Amino acid sequence: MERREFIVGATLGALGLSAFQGIPDFLTHRKMGIVVHSYWSRWNSKAESKNYPGFQNAIDLINHCHQIGAAGVQVGVKDWSLDFARKVRDQREKLGLYLEGSIGLPNKPEDVQRFEQDVKNAKEAGASILRTVASSGRRYEVYHSMDEYTSAIKQAIISLQLAESIAKKYNVKIAVENHKDWHAPELVDIIKKLDSEYIGITLDFGNSIALLEDPMKVVEVLAPYIFSTHVKDMGVAEYSDGFLLSEVPLGQGFLDLKKMIEICETHQPNIPFNLEMITRDPLEIPCLKPEYWTTFENTKGSELASVLRMIKQNNYKSELPKISHLSSEEKLAEEETNIIACLTYSNNILNRR
């Protein structure tokens, strides 16, 4: 038995699925890749594990993702050397995987040289799309006044303007993620202000729920501008200060993934679909606490009511999964099980082949 068949078969066994359910199709090349953040526990892991050794670099990730049947990876490219970039390129081409980079933006002109070197190396490795974020964190956690938030938007535009000239020089796309920071219309406004074929969006299917946005409406608003995606399904549950939000295996949450994918393909027929299944404890979205609202203006009570109704109607069927109580080995096993479950669902239900 080949190693890939063994890995997939063993994990499906852990899921209680027959080793013969869809395995030949599952092992065929498909469109869905894997975002490095899906390996929240395993990336740079120092845990001693024979079954789930830590991924120390992009080549480790590429090799493993090939073994489990993924079509590509999205991974950080910061501080790669030219020699390492070429090794990534050679291994990626040998295995037939695509590569997207994940990159930090320059904040000021002095940062552009570093940024250009990262772009150059990513392009050498075969990446033509570079996902990024244009904020310093989750809006409701890192910004404590409207002045701070307004300054962050101004800085985002400056950073993207600095990045745009380098993207144009190397003919790569910079894809800004909706990263629990900008409302969808705000992000579109930023993209329109820049008015560049090299600046677009990484559409995350679930992040904007944390900003009280309807996930389907977010897809509809952002899809015309997308270069890349983070595909995920979401579970939600009520708690005293708002609601809990958690990535769950595809098909186990409340998102209409088929419709979301169809909308994306309508606007961008060849868009890459990248799985971001982060196995972790649920995030607390404290939307019933006053400090949550510091950077939100003109939000109607009806909008909050609509989101809370959505949470209540889609309350997770059981307690949302938690991993903080697990051992390192158990966390690694849970993570791999979830990723395999997502790829299986993608192949058999979403037909991402």
Side-chain angles (χ1 to χ4, degrees):
M1 181 180 292
E2 293 184 1
R3 175 171 170 78
R4 183 175 3 171
E5 291 174 313
F6 174 78
I7 291 172
V8 175
T11 307
L12 288 175
L15 290 167
L17 301 175
S18 166
F20 297 99
Q21 286 183 335
I23 288 298
D25 286 339
F26 175 65
L27 293 175
T28 61
H29 186 78
R30 73 179 65 81
K31 294 180 182 177
M32 185 168 279
I34 296 179
V35 179
V36 65
H37 305 124
S38 297
Y39 283 103
W40 191 262
S41 294
R42 195 164 177 181
W43 182 252
N44 289 328
S45 171
K46 306 301 181 187
E48 295 292 333
S49 175
K50 292 182 179 179
N51 293 321
Y52 311 100
F55 301 143
Q56 302 308 311
N57 56 42
I59 294 175
D60 287 349
L61 179 67
I62 287 168
N63 287 338
H64 180 76
C65 288
H66 170 69
Q67 288 169 351
I68 62 174
V73 301
Q74 184 188 96
V75 65
V77 298
K78 185 177 186 295
D79 295 334
W80 283 6
S81 67
L82 182 59
D83 178 65
F84 181 74
R86 287 171 174 166
K87 289 178 180 177
V88 170
R89 177 199 62 201
D90 292 345
Q91 188 65 4
R92 179 190 63 76
E93 291 179 348
K94 175 184 174 182
L95 298 178
L97 272 66
Y98 69 76
L99 173 70
E100 291 185 16
S102 187
I103 197 167
L105 293 172
N107 289 321
K108 50 190 182 298
E110 303 92 277
D111 299 333
V112 172
Q113 184 177 1
R114 181 271 307 166
F115 177 77
E116 180 173 359
Q117 189 61 55
D118 287 343
V119 170
K120 182 179 179 180
N121 290 335
K123 184 68 181 288
E124 181 69 21
S128 59
I129 298 171
L130 301 173
R131 166 264 181 192
T132 194
V133 297
S135 69
S136 58
R138 299 169 189 145
R139 177 171 176 169
Y140 48 90
E141 292 178 348
V142 301
Y143 305 121
H144 306 294
S145 70
M146 279 305 303
D147 285 344
E148 284 186 17
Y149 183 65
T150 301
S151 295
I153 292 178
K154 291 178 180 177
Q155 179 60 59
I157 293 172
I158 291 170
S159 293
L160 287 165
Q161 287 172 332
L162 292 171
E164 196 269 348
S165 61
I166 303 301
K168 183 176 181 179
K169 179 178 179 179
Y170 290 93
N171 192 29
V172 299
K173 307 287 190 182
I174 304 295
V176 185
E177 182 182 352
N178 53 313
H179 198 244
K180 301 183 179 74
D181 40 25
W182 327 119
H183 279 141
E186 292 174 317
L187 181 52
V188 168
D189 187 52
I190 291 172
I191 299 302
K192 286 183 174 180
K193 278 185 171 67
L194 293 161
D195 189 26
S196 171
E197 64 181 292
Y198 299 98
I199 306 294
I201 290 171
T202 294
L203 171 55
D204 187 290
F205 283 18
N207 275 350
S208 296
I209 298 169
L211 301 184
L212 311 185
E213 292 188 284
D214 181 304
M216 189 62 71
K217 290 181 181 177
V218 169
V219 171
E220 291 169 350
V221 170
L222 298 184
Y225 308 93
I226 56 174
F227 293 154
S228 184
T229 60
H230 283 180
V231 178
K232 58 181 61 169
D233 207 348
M234 306 304 292
V236 291
E238 298 172 285
Y239 94 111
S240 58
D241 290 326
F243 63 93
L244 304 176
L245 181 66
S246 184
E247 289 93 344
V248 295
L250 301 185
Q252 295 185 23
F254 75 97
L255 300 188
D256 187 343
L257 296 174
K258 280 192 171 183
K259 185 175 179 181
M260 289 176 160
I261 285 172
E262 288 172 1
I263 293 170
C264 291
E265 290 182 325
T266 297
H267 291 279
Q268 302 290 350
N270 297 315
I271 191 75
F273 289 101
N274 300 306
L275 172 70
E276 188 179 49
M277 169 67 236
I278 305 178
T279 300
R280 58 183 171 184
D281 285 1
L283 299 177
E284 294 182 354
I285 314 300
C287 63
L288 297 181
K289 298 180 73 174
E291 51 266 37
Y292 175 89
W293 296 95
T294 303
T295 64
F296 293 85
E297 287 186 333
N298 304 318
T299 301
K300 298 177 181 178
S302 59
E303 294 174 356
L304 174 59
S306 176
V307 170
L308 293 179
R309 184 166 56 251
M310 178 182 71
I311 302 303
K312 184 178 290 290
Q313 290 172 346
N314 294 285
N315 216 42
Y316 202 64
K317 57 184 178 295
S318 57
E319 185 179 1
L320 286 169
K322 295 181 180 179
I323 66 164
S324 55
H325 64 288
L326 300 178
S327 68
S328 295
E329 185 74 5
E330 289 170 333
K331 290 177 183 176
L332 291 165
E334 185 74 6
E335 182 175 79
E336 189 68 15
T337 297
N338 286 342
I339 291 169
I340 296 294
C342 288
L343 292 181
T344 304
Y345 183 88
S346 170
N347 184 59
N348 293 338
I349 306 300
L350 299 178
N351 296 317
R352 310 294 338 136
R353 300 181 186 176

